[in-house]
Amino acid sequence: MSEAVSGSLGGRRDALLIATGIYDSPALRPLRSPQQDCAGLSEVLGDPAIGGFLVQPLVDAASYEAMRAMERFFRNRARKSNSQYLWITAVR
């Protein structure tokens, strides 16, 4: 996780990045690079000189884990954070 810094409006900035590239169904082939995309975006958003977000990456989690992460991410967050960013990659 990166350190949160004040944005132009002040206050905390939070990002939840969900990347899924592996599926239980044999009908769905694995995606090529969601893990790398997530890592790259996490680095950029977490960089204090660029994004300054407190980044929480979640890679190849079960659907119920992703749903719980989103619920926790948005629960009462409006009082704690000026900016929330949700990024999901899971389809072709």
Side-chain angles (χ1 to χ4, degrees), residues 20-21 23 27-32 89-92:
T20 302
Y23 304 96
L28 298 171
R29 294 185 317 217
L31 294 178
R32 292 187 187 129
T89 182
V91 296
R92 297 184 176 272

Side-chain angles (χ1 to χ4, degrees), residues 2-19:
S2 64
E3 290 184 357
V5 297
S6 295
S8 60
L9 298 174
R12 200 165 102 182
R13 305 177 83 188
D14 297 295
L16 174 61
L17 311 180
I18 300 174

Side-chain angles (χ1 to χ4, degrees), residues 6-80:
S6 295
S8 60
L9 298 174
R12 200 165 102 182
R13 305 177 83 188
D14 297 295
L16 174 61
L17 311 180
I18 300 174
T20 302
I22 299 172
Y23 304 96
D24 291 336
S25 172
L28 298 171
R29 294 185 317 217
L31 294 178
R32 292 187 187 129
S33 63
Q35 295 86 353
Q36 293 88 346
D37 294 345
C38 185
L41 185 56
S42 180
E43 186 176 325
V44 170
L45 290 176
D47 185 326
I50 301 173
F53 280 81
L54 179 65
V55 179
Q56 177 187 348
L58 183 64
V59 178
D60 288 329
S63 61
Y64 71 89
E65 292 171 322
M67 292 177 74
R68 284 184 186 159
M70 287 186 283
E71 183 180 315
R72 283 191 307 268
F73 182 74
F74 287 111
R75 185 184 305 135
N76 300 320
R77 185 129 348 219
R79 288 183 259 163
K80 299 176 187 175

